[in-house]
Amino acid sequence: MNSNQELSGIQKAFPLLTEKNVDMKKEIVAGITTFLTMAYIIAVNPSTLAAAGMDAGALVTGTCLAAAIGCFIMGFMANLPFALASGMGLNAFFAYTVVLKGGVPWETALTAVFVEGIIFLFLTLFKVREAVVNSIPLNMKHAVTAGIGIFIAFLGLKGSGLVVANEATLVSMGALSPTVIFAFIGLFIVGIMDKKGRKGAILAGIAVSSVMAWIYAYMNPEAASALGIYLPDGIFKYQSIKPIAGKVDFAFLAHPKDIGNFFVVVCTFLFVDFFDTVGTLVGVASRANMLDEEGNVPNVGRALLSDSLATMIGALLGVSTVTTYVESSTGVLAGGRTGYTAITVGVLFLVAMFFSPIFIAIPACATAPALIYVGYLMISSMHEIDIHNVTEGLPAFITVISMALTYSIGDGLTIGILSYVIINLLYNLFSKPEDRKHVSAVMIVLGILFLVKLLFL
């Protein structure tokens, strides 16, 4: 094999290497923006999984390392600006439902995550996951984008303190606290800078809100603490991953009565991760105008393969399911278009392993401006939906509102696709043959699976 052929093989394996004329400054800013909006996972994931009896210090390192490797795989293999880390919701299911409520050792729960990754790997290699992504109708893809926009804007409003829980009405408006003020000053900065065409607008909003919050914490630590704002507890810190790494344990196979419970756990991880990832890939790629002429996500097979490998590696490193993050949309809106954005996020996660106190101290009110503003930008995809056609518009509407109101991209996609299949099949049942709409076999199978899930799981 000559050098040209060898280079061609390398480029085929790592399409990022074929990129030319890349605006590296824009890609790096996009990566920093994405990282800062998802850096909360460095604090939240260890706190959540530590409830299962795992070592909190080791979890900080494991969370950062798994995220970095996942981002590198996504960047080099898929050449897409999507970042990965241990998924929210999945980590809570891991700790509170599987381990604490179910009495399953955390080592066995990690094994379930590892098995889930293996199953995903085979589903990806046989292009089952790719077929699911590509089978979603274009109107529904635009709806997923809008739904994610409302969902992450809701996360931002909640993080700012403007939206709070209420037992009588589920949610209500919170008080005009300092966190709300910090968040909206940051939001106004983002909006004004973006309107004037300034680069790094979202990043600037996060930075300004963080500095204001830290100044407030310095001046009034007790009041700030009550609002979840803390000064960085030092600068440098690193802890060994040894207490949690390599703890995947198949010893439960010696007890047949445990296999059934293990299978249910694997299926739950599998289902939630599958459709959270599908929804995120479709929604973020759509908003970035990255869909091809047929409405498909570019390199979707490689993106899903990256997700599968990252999940397996994460389990071996001692953390819950690693998945594609919806916060990637902030980097995409900041101009990220290639794998260099994901690689930048990965590098920052490696740095964060040694400077975790700083990143952990970035408060929710500082990431809120980015989430709210990106939500505003993503909701614009609503105008692409044929809202006046009930068979297309109604399922799209259900998808959009379900993502926010169920607090889950995966559940919103589940309800949306199920409604699409039912509405269109009923329409076909009462229509003339020439007026009937084509509903793909993949969508029908998904509808059946979703119905079974809602009824029995």
Side-chain angles (χ1 to χ4, degrees):
M1 180 182 293
N2 61 44
S3 60
N4 289 334
Q5 289 176 319
E6 184 177 357
L7 181 60
S8 177
I10 293 174
Q11 290 177 333
K12 187 175 180 180
F14 304 109
L16 177 70
L17 302 178
T18 65
E19 286 287 348
K20 300 183 185 301
N21 301 319
V22 177
D23 187 339
M24 288 301 298
K25 183 178 179 181
K26 185 176 287 187
E27 297 287 330
I28 291 171
V29 168
I32 295 171
T33 302
T34 296
F35 172 75
L36 290 177
T37 57
M38 61 187 287
Y40 64 84
I41 197 63
I42 301 172
V44 175
N45 200 51
S47 174
T48 302
L49 297 184
M54 303 175 73
D55 185 278
L59 283 165
V60 171
T61 304
T63 298
C64 291
L65 190 57
I69 293 173
C71 290
F72 291 151
I73 295 173
M74 179 68 78
F76 281 109
M77 288 186 58
N79 191 22
L80 290 169
F82 303 143
L84 299 90
S86 295
M88 289 295 295
L90 288 162
N91 54 7
F93 174 74
F94 179 106
Y96 298 113
T97 302
V98 177
V99 178
L100 295 179
K101 185 178 179 182
V104 176
W106 61 263
E107 294 88 348
T108 304
L110 283 177
T111 308
V113 173
F114 182 73
V115 171
E116 174 219 338
I118 294 175
I119 295 173
F120 265 172
L121 182 63
F122 280 102
L123 290 176
T124 302
L125 292 176
F126 287 103
K127 298 191 174 181
V128 174
R129 297 176 81 188
E130 186 173 347
V132 170
V133 175
N134 292 337
S135 71
I136 299 174
L138 188 57
N139 273 305
M140 290 292 289
K141 286 177 177 173
H142 291 310
V144 169
T145 304
I148 290 176
I150 294 177
F151 174 72
I152 65 173
F154 180 68
L155 291 179
L157 292 169
K158 178 175 175 287
S160 73
L162 186 65
V163 173
V164 297
N166 186 303
E167 290 187 5
T169 60
L170 295 183
V171 294
S172 61
M173 182 172 172
L176 189 63
S177 65
T179 58
V180 176
I181 296 172
F182 299 152
F184 277 83
I185 289 175
L187 179 62
F188 298 149
I189 288 172
V190 175
I192 292 170
M193 288 184 64
D194 194 36
K195 176 66 176 177
K196 288 185 170 293
R198 307 281 181 166
K199 294 182 179 180
I202 294 175
L203 186 56
I206 296 172
V208 170
S209 295
S210 294
V211 170
M212 288 191 298
W214 288 339
I215 292 173
Y216 179 71
Y218 178 77
M219 296 175 63
N220 197 341
E222 290 187 7
S225 177
L227 293 172
I229 302 174
Y230 305 92
L231 287 170
D233 183 20
I235 297 176
F236 175 85
K237 192 173 185 180
Y238 173 80
Q239 300 191 58
S240 172
I241 198 175
K242 187 175 180 181
I244 59 172
K247 301 298 183 179
V248 169
D249 180 16
F250 287 94
F252 69 92
L253 291 175
H255 307 281
K257 63 183 179 65
D258 295 332
I259 295 177
N261 185 40
F262 180 79
F263 178 75
V264 172
V265 172
V266 169
C267 286
T268 304
F269 278 131
L270 190 70
F271 195 92
V272 175
D273 187 22
F274 192 121
F275 292 101
D276 267 3
T277 301
V278 168
T280 299
L281 289 176
V282 168
V284 177
S286 173
R287 182 60 187 85
N289 295 319
M290 294 173 68
L291 300 179
D292 62 23
E293 58 275 5
E294 297 178 357
N296 297 328
V297 179
N299 289 340
V300 66
R302 287 174 174 266
L304 295 168
L305 180 62
S306 302
D307 191 271
S308 306
L309 293 173
T311 291
M312 295 168 61
I313 292 169
L316 293 174
L317 291 173
V319 296
S320 56
T321 304
V322 176
T323 188
T324 306
Y325 257 57
V326 68
E327 283 84 354
S328 301
S329 54
T330 60
V332 167
L333 268 298
R337 289 295 181 274
T338 73
Y340 287 111
T341 295
I343 290 170
T344 300
V345 179
V347 170
L348 290 173
F349 268 112
L350 289 181
V351 172
M353 283 197 304
F354 302 96
F355 297 93
S356 58
I358 296 175
F359 298 110
I360 288 173
I362 296 174
C365 64
T367 58
L371 297 174
I372 296 169
Y373 196 73
V374 170
Y376 149 70
L377 294 174
M378 294 185 76
I379 196 66
S380 65
S381 66
M382 284 291 291
H383 82 276
E384 302 284 350
I385 300 171
D386 186 5
I387 202 71
H388 300 293
N389 180 349
V390 173
T391 59
E392 294 286 332
L394 183 56
F397 171 71
I398 291 171
T399 302
V400 170
I401 62 170
S402 296
M403 284 192 179
L405 299 183
T406 63
Y407 209 72
S408 168
I409 295 171
D411 287 345
L413 186 63
T414 295
I415 297 169
I417 288 180
L418 182 58
S419 68
Y420 181 92
V421 172
I422 293 174
I423 289 170
N424 281 278
L425 289 181
L426 287 174
Y427 173 80
N428 290 344
L429 185 64
F430 296 103
S431 298
K432 297 176 182 179
E434 61 271 19
D435 294 331
R436 291 173 185 168
K437 293 187 59 177
H438 172 70
V439 182
S440 73
V442 175
M443 288 288 284
I444 293 173
V445 170
L446 284 176
I448 294 171
L449 291 174
F450 290 160
L451 187 60
V452 170
K453 172 188 179 283
L454 294 175
L455 291 174
F456 302 108
L457 297 180

